[in-house]
Amino acid sequence: MAYYAWSFADSTSTITSVVRSMSYTMGRYSPDDMEATVAAVITLINNDDATFPLTFNETVSIAFKIGATSYAQISGRVAAFTYQDEPGTGGNSSVTATLLNAFGLNSQVELTAASIPAGTISAQIATLNTLIDLDVNYLPAGGTSPYTMAAQTYTGSPSDYIRTLSNADNAYLFCKDYSNVNYWTYEQGFVVMNAVSIGRTASSSQLAYTNIRRRKFIKPFYNQVTVSSTSVAAQTATNATSVTSYGRKAFNLDTFYDTTTQAANAASWYANAWSTEQFSFEADFIVENQTQSMWTQTAANTTTGKIDTSPMASIIFQALPAYINVKYRPPGAAVDTTVPCILEGVSIQATPEQTRGTLYLTPAVFYSRFILNNSYFGILDTDRLGW
């Protein structure tokens, strides 16, 4: 059995020996959900309030290790404490600390009448970075969005502004620490994990689930989409065929588009792509049931051809935006069905005895608009259609 471990450290020392349990959710449950703002929740032994190791706003770092090697690192700042005091001697008392990531910390900041000039998404992010303490990184570095946003006099949290920007190009907001939010566009590309799939049995090339839930006609499933903007008229598009088959499923999207053409094109795409009859997946797994060599298998590239050699453990425990095949066998079938998926997020629950997790995966077809000609998402007008 491979040796798997979690390590914990505050700003001055290692605190692993006093951690009873840890949980976190990173990423999101589906493309239309909000990204997680809580970096982690950890419960620690508390023998004495006076010597309890953590303080408010202190940084806590968490790492997943195989042997002595760290494969995934996350961090957050302490935002709240809950004390569980045992009656009597108090010998079994504990404290639960809630840690916020950069997205959560930015949610607590209020901008007032902030002036954000018109420009591309990357240009507006550059302006936003001059107004806040934490960094938002547009990826790819040096890239520029094809979408243009209207000028804003904005009052609200930076996190809400970033979310509204991401609606324009369906970007993935990747946040694994307390200081950076990565605005991950599809020009950046998904990490392609061809070396490992997700399926029914464990091997060096497959992560085994203990249970898989196939979700159909549940988020995202919409056939009438209205895209609103602060500067142009709202645009609505409807997939009439889907409405006839399934009834009306409405969805509203806020953006900062500066033209009706951009809003209308977005509404049309969402109303068609998100009305696709597809399964999304929730796959439960136990870390200790997997083979060590599976966790250390590496990717080679991204969907846009960039070199990326992230190991499977880094992809899973940091919820890196990744392209992974999911294999399942429905009741009555004799063979597995394989669905190329995008990893949306992960939930982890860990104790000294065991680590359990759940992966949230969306069929890759939901993202094909943003990568027009690609060996993974297809070639427009050749092996897939566009609208």
Side-chain angles (χ1 to χ4, degrees):
M1 176 67 69
Y3 175 67
Y4 305 120
W6 292 93
S7 67
F8 302 82
D10 62 15
S11 55
T12 60
S13 62
T14 298
I15 58 172
T16 305
S17 62
V18 296
V19 175
R20 284 183 172 174
S21 65
M22 178 271 295
S23 65
Y24 70 82
T25 296
M26 188 169 293
R28 58 193 182 186
Y29 297 108
S30 69
D32 56 334
D33 264 330
M34 290 183 14
E35 288 69 22
T37 58
V38 174
V41 177
I42 58 175
T43 298
L44 306 93
I45 297 168
N46 182 29
N47 292 324
D48 187 339
D49 276 9
T51 59
F52 183 73
L54 299 183
T55 58
F56 179 76
N57 211 36
E58 186 173 14
T59 300
V60 176
S61 300
I62 303 169
F64 173 75
K65 293 183 174 183
I66 301 176
T69 303
S70 294
Y71 282 87
Q73 295 84 34
I74 64 175
S75 67
R77 284 184 175 165
V78 177
F81 292 115
T82 300
Y83 291 78
Q84 297 93 23
D85 298 334
E86 185 186 68
T89 63
N92 199 35
S93 296
S94 61
V95 176
T96 297
T98 299
L99 317 177
L100 294 184
N101 61 24
F103 215 69
L105 293 169
N106 269 319
S107 296
Q108 298 181 332
V109 175
E110 181 80 3
L111 298 175
T112 303
S115 178
I116 301 177
T120 62
I121 292 174
S122 53
Q124 289 209 338
I125 286 175
T127 298
L128 195 64
N129 279 332
T130 67
L131 304 174
I132 59 178
D133 293 332
L134 304 174
D135 291 329
V136 182
N137 303 313
Y138 184 91
L139 299 175
T144 183
S145 170
Y147 304 97
T148 52
M149 305 292 108
Q152 305 294 319
T153 300
Y154 178 74
T155 296
S157 80
S159 290
D160 285 343
Y161 197 93
I162 298 165
R163 287 191 186 101
T164 303
L165 284 177
S166 72
N167 289 340
D169 56 359
N170 201 11
Y172 191 112
L173 302 177
F174 171 64
C175 184
K176 69 182 183 69
D177 59 39
Y178 69 91
S179 60
N180 292 276
V181 175
N182 291 309
Y183 190 99
W184 194 295
T185 71
Y186 300 105
E187 288 74 27
Q188 174 72 7
F190 296 99
V191 180
V192 178
M193 180 42 81
N194 277 335
V196 178
S197 59
I198 298 168
R200 300 163 59 239
T201 57
S203 72
S204 61
S205 61
Q206 188 159 275
L207 185 154
Y209 51 75
T210 57
N211 184 52
I212 191 166
R213 291 173 291 284
R214 294 179 286 142
R215 304 168 73 245
K216 201 171 191 178
F217 306 129
I218 304 174
K219 300 168 47 173
F221 183 69
Y222 310 105
N223 50 35
Q224 178 180 297
V225 177
T226 298
V227 174
S228 301
S229 174
T230 55
S231 62
V232 300
Q235 302 292 306
T236 299
T238 302
N239 184 325
T241 300
S242 177
V243 170
T244 299
S245 299
Y246 306 112
R248 200 172 302 276
K249 310 292 183 183
F251 182 65
N252 297 313
L253 198 70
D254 293 327
T255 72
F256 298 131
Y257 286 135
D258 65 354
T259 66
T260 55
T261 299
Q262 291 183 116
N265 287 344
S268 178
W269 180 80
Y270 279 109
N272 285 279
W274 283 12
S275 61
T276 303
E277 185 180 328
Q278 295 276 343
F279 285 115
S280 57
F281 301 93
E282 295 178 1
D284 301 329
F285 65 96
I286 299 173
V287 170
E288 290 78 9
N289 288 358
Q290 316 301 327
T291 63
Q292 179 177 347
S293 56
M294 184 278 298
W295 290 120
T296 56
Q297 292 272 26
T298 60
N301 58 277
T302 71
T303 52
T304 53
K306 298 181 180 70
I307 295 174
D308 192 305
T309 57
S310 299
M312 186 66 168
S314 297
I315 291 172
I316 294 301
F317 293 111
Q318 296 177 157
L320 285 175
Y323 179 103
I324 304 175
N325 284 326
V326 175
K327 299 179 180 180
Y328 70 94
R329 187 172 299 184
V335 296
D336 289 348
T337 297
T338 300
V339 180
C341 286
I342 301 301
L343 176 63
E344 299 285 353
V346 63
S347 291
I348 296 294
Q349 302 83 40
T351 65
E353 291 76 30
Q354 189 178 72
T355 297
R356 291 179 172 268
T358 300
L359 303 176
Y360 305 99
L361 302 120
T362 298
V365 67
F366 285 113
Y367 291 97
S368 58
R369 167 200 180 212
F370 297 99
I371 302 176
L372 295 180
N373 297 304
N374 184 269
S375 57
Y376 300 100
F377 294 94
I379 307 299
L380 195 66
D381 294 328
T382 300
D383 54 8
R384 70 180 180 84
L385 301 175
W387 38 74

